[in-house]
Amino acid sequence: MSLQDTVYALPLIGEMSELKQAGAIGNAASMISHALGDGHSRRFWCGLLWAATRNGSLEAFSAQLLRLLADVQESSELRNPGALFAARLRSA
């Protein structure tokens, strides 16, 4: 799966059993952290995905992530995409 496929599939995680959610969240977090060039942030993304799963906001999470990916592609000066994403989640 590509990163874009992963992002579009995130809302489906909420419909999975908890056991399958764990694997899907781990895979998605790995894909996101790798795509952002931040391989050591996998646990950060896992935590955000678990929180979004628990509070039923995976669709909003996906939309914000797509926005972040567009920002990353448009700006080579963005130093910490994960921090920008977290700040946007807090303000939303």
Side-chain angles (χ1 to χ4, degrees):
M1 283 179 72
S2 72
L3 178 60
Q4 190 171 15
D5 292 336
T6 300
V7 173
Y8 286 125
L10 288 178
L12 301 176
I13 291 174
E15 300 171 11
M16 296 176 178
S17 69
E18 196 165 318
L19 182 61
K20 289 185 179 185
Q21 283 178 343
I25 286 174
N27 290 337
S30 294
M31 178 75 79
I32 294 165
S33 63
H34 177 72
L36 295 175
D38 193 14
H40 65 278
S41 66
R42 181 181 180 275
R43 291 183 71 196
F44 168 77
W45 289 103
C46 280
L48 291 178
L49 284 164
W50 274 115
T53 301
R54 285 188 200 106
N55 67 26
S57 63
L58 284 167
E59 287 185 26
F61 186 97
S62 295
Q64 288 291 336
L65 187 54
L66 287 173
R67 181 176 173 207
L68 177 69
L69 295 173
D71 290 341
V72 168
Q73 290 175 349
E74 292 172 2
S75 174
S76 61
E77 296 178 14
L78 188 58
R79 293 185 306 159
N80 192 342
L84 176 60
F85 185 82
R88 286 179 177 168
L89 280 181
R90 281 190 297 272
S91 69

